[in-house]
Amino acid sequence: MEKEAQPPGTVKGTTLCAAGPHTPSMRTTGTTVTEGCRAVRKGFRDQQRLLIVAVVAVLLCCTAGRGDGPMRGGGTVSAGSRGVLGVVSTAADGVEPLRTGLVEPAIALGWQVAVTLTPNAGQWLRANGELDRLEAVTGLPVRDTPRLPTEARPHPVANCYVVAPASANHVAKPATGIADNQALTQVSEALGTIGVPVVVFPQVNAAHVRHPAWDRHIAALRKADVEVIHGPDVWPLHEPREGPAVRQLPWTAITESIQHVTARAARHPL
């Protein structure tokens, strides 16, 4: 007697379910076990859904890296609606409350803040723990040294710069084109960058202002359209070592000047 021909995919009275080659659903002669096939197909659909969810999650993470997302320092970078504010500070009296006086209010106004310090200011704020706090609140590294050529740029491109407090040295050097540290490099470049407003608050005393070169320095900054914050109503000048022992910087006036120059730049784009 001839053996009955088995249909393709059937082994000894069973066939593989078409849903997949790895998990067979057994079919006996005259009886089809459909539950196994349904389970296999459902398993494949679940795997497809998981794969789609994983791909979407990766895409969301990549997108977050361009705007909002965790950064070095444990903070979260806020892709502020106003843009990126480059804050440059020097080793002058009053720099210690930079975070509470300027950085946090700017973030509350919608700015993404990137902080750069002169080497001495970096040493000061590192010693009192404020540098770490600045990194935590901004979500970006605080710069006080240049990067290596092989390193990525740690800060986004700034839409506006504020130099506060600016020592007399940090007023004179950018006014004469000197850029011998990271902070000065950023300020000097900003002075020549079209469409990037710059605000400078000189933290100086009466002796600094009487220096023969002072007026030329201020004139050079103003020629570059720098908003210089000064005057007896904002920062009364005292003789060296004769001013108040503790003196808060005019943070409100500085913040208002930032808002003023950026609004003006928006009204009159180049």
Side-chain angles (χ1 to χ4, degrees):
M1 178 182 292
E2 293 183 359
K3 296 181 69 175
E4 183 180 352
Q6 299 288 335
T10 303
V11 180
K12 294 183 180 178
T14 66
T15 71
L16 297 181
C17 175
H22 301 298
T23 311
S25 170
M26 307 304 292
R27 187 181 69 186
T28 59
T29 303
T31 304
T32 302
V33 183
T34 60
E35 288 79 2
C37 287
R38 292 195 188 102
V40 172
R41 293 189 183 102
K42 182 178 183 299
F44 287 155
R45 287 195 296 269
D46 291 343
Q47 289 177 1
Q48 289 174 335
R49 292 191 188 101
L50 288 174
L51 179 59
I52 292 170
V53 170
V55 170
V56 171
V58 170
L59 291 174
L60 288 174
C61 288
C62 293
T63 303
R66 298 172 193 162
D68 294 353
M71 298 289 288
R72 173 186 161 188
T76 299
V77 173
S78 173
S81 59
R82 294 183 181 271
V84 178
L85 178 66
V87 172
V88 177
S89 298
T90 73
D93 288 342
V95 71
E96 291 84 0
L98 175 69
R99 171 177 55 87
T100 56
L102 178 58
V103 172
E104 289 177 345
I107 292 173
L109 288 171
W111 287 100
Q112 179 181 348
V113 179
V115 179
T116 301
L117 305 173
T118 60
N120 285 341
Q123 187 176 5
W124 288 10
L125 298 192
R126 191 173 284 107
N128 67 7
E130 274 299 305
L131 191 146
D132 290 339
R133 297 184 191 104
L134 283 167
E135 291 189 334
V137 75
T138 63
L140 291 170
V142 173
R143 301 191 70 182
D144 59 355
T145 57
R147 65 184 176 88
L148 295 175
T150 55
E151 294 177 333
R153 296 181 185 276
H155 288 175
V157 177
N159 303 102
C160 176
Y161 274 97
V162 56
V163 187
S167 65
N169 180 59
H170 212 82
V171 171
K173 284 188 173 180
T176 54
I178 298 173
D180 56 5
N181 60 45
Q182 182 59 40
L184 282 166
T185 297
Q186 291 184 211
V187 175
S188 295
E189 184 177 88
L191 295 184
T193 302
I194 297 174
V196 176
V198 179
V199 174
V200 173
F201 165 65
Q203 203 284 46
V204 294
N205 58 37
H208 293 135
V209 173
R210 285 195 296 267
H211 190 283
W214 181 259
D215 289 341
R216 294 198 304 273
H217 296 156
I218 297 300
L221 294 179
R222 285 181 172 153
K223 188 176 180 180
D225 285 332
V226 172
E227 181 91 356
V228 180
I229 303 171
H230 72 109
D233 55 330
V234 176
W235 188 251
L237 299 177
H238 297 276
E239 295 300 323
R241 293 164 292 281
E242 292 184 5
V246 178
R247 192 178 183 190
Q248 285 293 322
L249 302 188
W251 298 118
T252 300
I254 294 168
T255 303
E256 289 174 351
S257 291
I258 295 167
Q259 303 297 88
H260 170 70
V261 298
T262 52
R264 183 177 62 196
R267 288 195 303 270
H268 305 287
L270 298 176

